Amino acid sequence: MTTVIMRTTARAIVPIILVVSISLYFEGHNLPGGGFIGGVLTVTAFAIIYMAFGLDFLERGVLGRDVDPGKEHSRDRVVVAYRRLFAYGFAIAVASGLGPLLFGEPFLTQAFVMLEGVPVYDHLEVASALAFDFGVYCVVVGGLLTILSVVGAE
Amino acid sequence: MSPDLAIVVAAVALPFIAAALTPLFFRVLGEGTGFAGSLVALSSFGLLASQYGDEGTVALEWIPSLDIALRFHVDGWALLFALLACGIGTLIFTYSPAYMHGESGLVRFYAALLAFMGSIVGVALAADLIAIFLFWELTSLCSFVLIGHYTADDSSQYAARMAMLITVGGGLFLLVGLLLLSIVAGDVVGPASAFDLAAMLEQPDAMAAALRDRGLFLPVLGLLAIGAGTKSAQVPLHFWLPNAMAAPTPVSAFLHSATMVKVGVYFIGRIRPMLVGPEWLFLFATLGLTTMTVCAIMAVASTDIKELLAYSTASHLGLMVAGFGFTSVYGAETGVFHLLNHALFKAALFLVAGIVAHEAGTREIDKLGGLRRDLPVTAAITAVVALSMAGIPPFNGFYSKELLFEAAVEASHHHDIGLLGWLYPAVAVFGSIFTVLYSLKFLSLFFGDRPDDLGHVHRPPVTLLIPPAVLALLAAVVSVDPELAVDAIVQSGLEATAVDPHEMHVDIPTSYSPAVGMSAVTIGVGILAFPAYGRLHDGIRAIPRAVPPIGANWWYDTIVDGLSDEGRAFAEYVHNGLLRTYATWTLAATCTLALAGFVAAGAIAPTEFGLEVTLAIGLVLLVAVIGGLAVVVSESHIAGVLTLSILGFMVAIFYILASAPDLALTQLVVETLVLVIFLLVIEEIPESYEVEVGRSVRDAVLSVAVGATAFVTVLVTTSARPDGPTDIARYYAEQAVPEGGGTNIVNVTLVDFRGFDTLGELAVVALASISILTLIVMRGRGDGYETDARGDDATPGEESPADDSRSDEPTGTRSDSPASGGGDE
């Protein structure tokens, strides 16, 4: 699949997909979207990179690291980073749920504030659910990419 | 005066807390941990003793939404049992360090023993049906650990498994009985106290009447009897108890004398006022007397001192059950008083057996004798408690057995039971004769000649002697002045278990009565038959050898072995390591069960098909169907994957048309990802498969079944749905903006209202990643390690495992449906 057409297309569409996925995550609270969908879309972008450039591309081409060909793929630093990502994501989700306990509210209670007079936006809504959703996003991206890269290496 | 909640809860919780802290104790005290246990048991004893004379219920909130509470009821009967457990527990903990000296696994031993004691105290005090069941099963679990203490010993493991299987199995019957009881109780004492046993026992007659009205009296009685009978080793499920002697002796002493095996008897006494009646008499008197006689005969056939005591325990449990079975007040007196007496003499006897085994090095009856010269104090202790077990006047066992005889004689006065009115006293006497026989046999270990091959017998350490001596002393006190025990605790225990309690009196009889005559016959025949003990012993032993199916143990082995074999054969068939087999069985079973459920519930009714589909939706679905057909007929994998995507995208468009944009977005994104992943792996998949005709027919049938089930399920569930949005849906729609601050209801529901569910799903995704990672990494390692074992097809040498699997032929990609990959995340 590493054809020229594929690579050229990937160069164009991957940034677009990533931007869309991030915007999906941010506007999820008010429009269709959210952490899960944003996460899956991000994974799609990475899958296209894998497809167009091969599994070692991220490690060698983007991060400029040497890849030891004899090493198990699951030990690659990128894969380790994915694993960390979903672990941290889970921790963020749990921690965002523990926060309300400090205020005497039940586990996972969410709240939101409206900020008025913010430059550019004028008024901005900040929901605590965004932190939880960020956890969801991280778990989905980290988890699926771990699976994808490890299974893809087989 | 009503009891103090804090004290009662502390008494129950203390042993559990101590059990959790046992590793800490052990680090500080080493083998002296047992003494810390004594202190804990003594503290619980003290706490409970401070509630002496109180009566009432205290409750700790537990699951308020279901009206379930940790409810404790304190009265004479509960205190009697709980105090026995703590008191004998104290002695057992004192005895253990010397007995278990130098053994391994002591932390587990003491922790389990403490938790065991706590569970028993919990059962004794609990007045909530769920709490009773919880503590009840906890005793089974703890006893499993204790009986199986010698983990390397097969017989110990066998006994532990057997005890677990029987008592936990019985516990399940109990659970059903308790639930039925709570259903009826909801009507009588109010739904708020449907699980409150104490409230039910305040209106025993109303409860009994309500049970009879509903036709649940016999089922409840039967289920509770099975639960109690298995726990208290009643025939024919008595055989786990003699096997449980594989446990260390302190455990046997505790388990067999004061605690777990008596839980059933205790429970029978507890519910007695509510369920007593003709059926009760017939069930429990028959069960108890049969157990008493059968197990007494088996005890005579025993060759091991602990086996003898174990069978005798079962026999005495039968006596107590029979006592409670008799509906007259004598029956309750028998049960309560014998529970106390038996605990005193049987715990002491087990501890004596432990001393004998420990110091003489054998438990074989034939190899022991004349021990009084080596163990004089032990001999004195044994004399008191063995004669008490035999029921020889004036020892304490005599009084309670006398009460049994009276109750048996009285039985025919209260209910018209025909021939049984004669049979019950006769069987009671017959069983008691064997009791006298084996008690004398146990005593004779200390008298007569010393066998030549019995080696040097050591003097036991003081901590081994004190506990049985204390028990023997108590037994002696009760023997000399039984009224003391009656005033102290038995009378108040009687009031909780008898329907018409009156002032209880026990004394040495001075004039003739039928019971006195029966006692005289029992003791006389027992002593006269003792010289023929050897012949009786051999005769009884010959029977099960000649006819194995007469032994309950034989049935257990046959059934359990048969089930294990069948299970193994079945597992090989269903569980053969091929993914498609698992999928076939799982899907087929799910479809069958779901469809059978619909049929049984009468849910599949002729439904009118209203065509409420717009043209657009119709077209989209048509394209989807064509896409589905195209998947099946496509020649290459690429075409198949692409056409499958058509199906997926059409479903997404359907969601958009049905105004579910969030769902549609998810479907689109996931569909895209699946498509990309397919394209990533498609090069690795073989061009085509050879599929047998039979297999494709099977797959076709299965697919149709799954499709039909899904179709029917959707049809049934949507037809049952109310018109318009439900209350829940409306609530979410209305509250999304004010409560969650988001206009996307789906997302607000996911993160604000049902955040905990989402967290659970996150855990699923994380777990899936970890398990896939583990599977693949471990598979690589497995290849590396198995190189030597397999030899032929693996690449030899020190090559890295990952390389190995990469260069190999892709054997792992042989599965015939790679479709379900990432799509369901």
Side-chain angles (χ1 to χ4, degrees):
Chain A
M1 280 285 167
T2 52
T3 58
V4 175
I5 300 175
M6 185 70 204
R7 289 181 181 210
T8 315
T9 319
R11 281 214 180 90
I13 61 171
V14 165
I16 300 175
I17 295 178
L18 285 176
V19 169
V20 170
S21 76
I22 290 167
S23 78
L24 275 182
Y25 155 65
F26 273 109
E27 68 189 20
H29 218 53
N30 291 313
L31 295 167
F36 182 81
I37 298 175
V40 177
L41 202 58
T42 309
V43 176
T44 315
F46 276 78
I48 288 173
I49 295 177
Y50 277 143
M51 216 164 72
F53 300 99
L55 278 172
D56 288 339
F57 176 73
L58 276 182
E59 192 87 23
R60 212 183 318 222
V62 178
L63 300 171
R65 293 174 189 149
D66 281 338
V67 177
D68 177 5
K71 211 166 66 168
E72 283 177 49
H73 187 69
S74 57
R75 299 271 172 83
D76 280 353
R77 281 161 72 185
V78 170
V79 179
V80 173
Y82 296 153
R83 268 150 58 188
R84 291 226 178 99
L85 185 63
F86 81 73
Y88 291 152
F90 198 63
I92 290 169
V94 174
S96 80
L98 290 175
L101 296 183
L102 297 176
F103 303 101
E105 297 283 333
F107 183 59
L108 277 176
T109 306
Q110 307 291 359
F112 67 97
V113 285
M114 288 298 236
L115 299 179
E116 299 291 341
V118 181
V120 185
Y121 284 96
D122 186 30
H123 69 275
L124 184 67
E125 181 198 339
V126 180
S128 67
L130 213 58
F132 181 73
D133 225 14
F134 186 64
V136 176
Y137 180 85
C138 292
V139 171
V140 171
V141 173
L144 291 188
L145 278 180
T146 308
I147 298 175
L148 187 65
S149 59
V150 174
V151 175
E154 288 294 308
Chain B
M1 214 179 99
S2 71
D4 188 335
L5 173 69
I7 293 179
V8 174
V9 171
V12 179
L14 201 59
F16 287 109
I17 296 169
L21 295 178
T22 309
L24 218 63
F25 290 156
F26 194 78
R27 195 160 292 172
V28 181
L29 299 169
E31 291 196 344
T33 311
F35 299 117
S38 308
L39 211 62
V40 171
L42 204 60
S43 312
S44 278
F45 186 89
L47 289 171
L48 290 170
S50 73
Q51 302 301 303
Y52 178 78
D54 295 349
E55 188 169 343
T57 310
V58 289
L60 196 66
E61 206 166 77
W62 183 18
I63 315 176
S65 53
L66 296 176
D67 295 316
I68 293 171
L70 270 180
R71 208 174 272 119
F72 296 109
H73 183 74
V74 176
D75 62 5
W77 182 224
L79 275 184
L80 170 65
F81 192 56
L83 287 175
L84 267 181
C86 291
I88 294 187
T90 309
L91 300 175
I92 299 293
F93 278 113
T94 314
Y95 182 89
S96 296
Y99 188 85
M100 301 294 285
H101 177 66
E103 296 211 21
S104 57
L106 285 178
V107 175
R108 181 169 36 109
F109 174 78
Y110 285 120
L113 206 56
L114 278 166
F116 185 58
M117 193 180 84
S119 327
I120 299 291
V121 177
V123 176
L125 295 171
D128 182 272
L129 297 181
I130 300 298
I132 291 175
F133 177 72
L134 179 82
F135 285 118
W136 183 283
E137 293 296 48
L138 264 180
T139 64
S140 295
L141 286 179
C142 296
S143 75
F144 172 73
V145 176
L146 289 172
I147 296 172
H149 176 72
Y150 298 114
T151 44
D153 181 13
D154 281 345
S155 70
S156 176
Q157 297 303 298
Y158 170 78
R161 266 198 308 276
M162 178 190 275
M164 177 94 160
L165 198 62
I166 304 277
T167 56
V168 171
L172 296 180
F173 284 91
L174 179 86
L175 178 65
V176 178
L178 293 178
L179 291 178
L180 289 180
L181 198 60
S182 79
I183 291 171
V184 176
D187 297 345
V188 179
V189 294
S193 41
F195 289 102
D196 187 349
L197 185 64
M200 293 175 216
L201 287 170
E202 274 169 23
Q203 315 178 33
D205 298 330
M207 277 301 295
L211 281 169
R212 283 187 200 279
D213 275 353
R214 291 252 194 140
L216 285 175
F217 188 84
L218 280 181
V220 167
L221 181 63
L223 289 165
L224 298 184
I226 293 175
T230 49
K231 203 78 165 175
S232 280
Q234 299 299 299
V235 165
L237 296 169
H238 61 287
F239 53 91
W240 70 266
L241 197 148
N243 278 297
M245 70 178 183
T249 303
V251 173
S252 307
F254 200 33
L255 184 110
H256 286 53
S257 62
T259 54
M260 175 162 147
V261 297
K262 283 218 176 88
V263 165
V265 176
Y266 171 78
F267 188 70
I268 292 174
R270 182 46 85 206
I271 54 169
R272 188 175 183 270
M274 190 161 64
L275 299 175
V276 76
E279 302 95 339
W280 174 278
L281 167 75
F282 179 72
L283 177 63
F284 284 114
T286 311
L287 187 69
L289 286 175
T290 314
T291 306
M292 176 181 161
T293 309
V294 169
C295 291
I297 295 173
M298 296 300 288
V300 171
S302 310
T303 52
D304 177 305
I305 48 176
K306 272 181 82 178
E307 189 189 359
L308 185 151
L309 291 178
Y311 272 118
S312 102
T313 302
S315 165
H316 282 272
L317 291 169
L319 194 160
M320 289 171 233
V321 169
F324 278 129
F326 291 118
T327 51
S328 63
V329 70
Y330 293 118
E333 288 179 1
T334 313
V336 178
F337 199 21
H338 201 70
L339 186 99
L340 172 69
N341 288 336
H342 178 256
L344 295 180
F345 67 67
K346 189 53 63 66
L349 281 166
F350 265 108
L351 296 178
V352 164
I355 293 175
V356 170
H358 205 251
E359 307 307 334
T362 179
R363 296 196 326 223
E364 296 267 317
I365 293 173
D366 289 343
K367 293 186 185 157
L368 292 164
L371 289 171
R372 96 190 112 94
R373 280 180 287 276
D374 300 304
L375 306 167
V377 183
T378 316
I381 295 168
T382 312
V384 174
V385 288
L387 290 175
S388 172
M389 175 160 79
I392 310 280
F395 292 98
N396 61 357
F398 167 76
Y399 303 112
S400 33
K401 180 167 288 181
E402 190 82 350
L403 287 168
L404 176 77
F405 289 159
E406 277 185 52
V409 173
E410 286 256 325
S412 56
H413 300 182
H414 289 270
H415 294 283
D416 182 22
I417 48 175
L419 194 62
L420 283 176
W422 290 102
L423 208 55
Y424 283 150
V427 173
V429 170
F430 181 70
S432 301
I433 292 172
F434 287 92
T435 308
V436 174
L437 277 173
Y438 67 69
S439 303
L440 293 178
K441 183 68 187 174
F442 191 87
L443 189 57
S444 74
L445 299 179
F446 290 85
F447 297 93
D449 298 327
R450 201 171 184 281
D452 298 331
D453 51 353
L454 184 62
H456 177 65
V457 178
H458 313 268
R459 281 290 162 92
V462 151
T463 49
L464 282 191
L465 270 180
I466 291 176
V470 169
L471 290 166
L473 194 69
L474 286 173
V477 168
V478 178
S479 306
V480 174
D481 190 358
E483 282 293 321
L484 203 65
V486 169
D487 292 341
I489 193 99
V490 177
Q491 178 70 39
S492 57
L494 178 68
E495 271 152 28
T497 55
V499 188
D500 47 350
H502 59 65
E503 201 75 1
M504 179 174 167
H505 287 290
V506 278
D507 213 341
I508 298 276
T510 46
S511 59
Y512 180 80
S513 69
V516 173
M518 287 158 77
S519 278
V521 171
T522 305
I523 296 166
V525 175
I527 290 173
L528 285 179
F530 187 66
Y533 190 90
R535 259 175 290 157
L536 268 173
H537 173 84
D538 295 340
I540 299 165
R541 284 189 75 74
I543 299 172
R545 232 175 291 146
V547 207
I550 208 170
N553 217 9
W554 182 87
W555 286 99
Y556 173 83
D557 288 339
T558 312
I559 291 172
V560 169
D561 287 350
L563 282 178
S564 320
D565 290 348
E566 288 301 316
R568 223 167 282 133
F570 188 62
E572 273 165 22
Y573 189 58
V574 186
H575 236 194
N576 61 358
L578 290 176
L579 193 59
R580 69 176 79 93
T581 316
Y582 296 152
T584 310
W585 281 100
T586 314
L587 291 174
T590 313
C591 293
T592 316
L593 286 176
L595 291 176
F598 289 140
V599 170
I604 304 178
T607 320
E608 285 176 28
F609 289 96
L611 279 175
E612 300 159 13
V613 184
T614 62
L615 184 66
I617 290 183
L619 275 177
V620 167
L621 291 180
L622 190 67
V623 176
V625 170
I626 293 170
L629 289 173
V631 177
V632 182
V633 297
S634 66
E635 290 290 322
S636 74
H637 289 306
I638 303 236
V641 169
L642 291 174
T643 42
L644 187 64
S645 301
I646 295 178
L647 178 59
F649 288 125
M650 286 306 134
V651 173
I653 296 172
F654 169 71
Y655 287 146
I656 296 173
L657 293 176
S659 6
D662 231 283
L663 210 53
L665 194 56
T666 312
Q667 170 77 16
L668 274 177
V669 172
V670 171
E671 196 59 44
T672 312
L673 182 62
V674 171
L675 180 63
V676 171
I677 291 175
F678 265 128
L679 294 178
L680 189 64
V681 298
I682 209 142
E683 290 165 8
E684 303 292 325
I685 299 175
E687 273 295 307
S688 61
Y689 305 103
E690 290 282 318
V691 182
E692 296 164 29
V693 179
R695 192 173 288 165
S696 45
V697 168
R698 183 200 63 186
D699 289 353
V701 169
L702 193 63
S703 322
V704 170
V706 171
T709 311
F711 181 75
V712 171
T713 309
V714 171
L715 209 61
V716 169
T717 47
T718 48
S719 72
R721 201 186 58 187
D723 290 334
T726 58
D727 287 346
I728 299 170
R730 259 202 307 280
Y731 173 82
Y732 282 149
E734 283 164 9
Q735 301 295 320
V737 175
E739 292 283 324
T743 47
N744 178 4
I745 301 171
V746 176
N747 194 276
V748 169
T749 308
L750 280 178
V751 296
D752 289 64
F753 296 133
R754 308 209 52 88
F756 206 68
D757 285 356
T758 313
L759 195 64
E761 281 152 21
L762 288 191
V764 172
V765 174
L767 272 178
S769 321
I770 293 171
S771 33
I772 288 177
L773 197 64
T774 316
L775 273 177
I776 285 177
V777 172
M778 293 308 280
R779 194 186 69 180
R781 289 203 189 140
D783 278 356
Y785 289 133
E786 281 171 24
T787 305
D788 298 333
R790 282 198 314 197
D792 49 6
D793 62 342
T795 332
E798 267 73 56
E799 239 179 279
S800 101
D803 249 8
D804 189 358
S805 58
R806 217 174 286 177
S807 62
D808 258 358
E809 192 66 18
T811 46
T813 51
R814 206 159 49 98
S815 85
D816 50 6
S817 75
S820 59
D824 52 359
E825 290 297 331

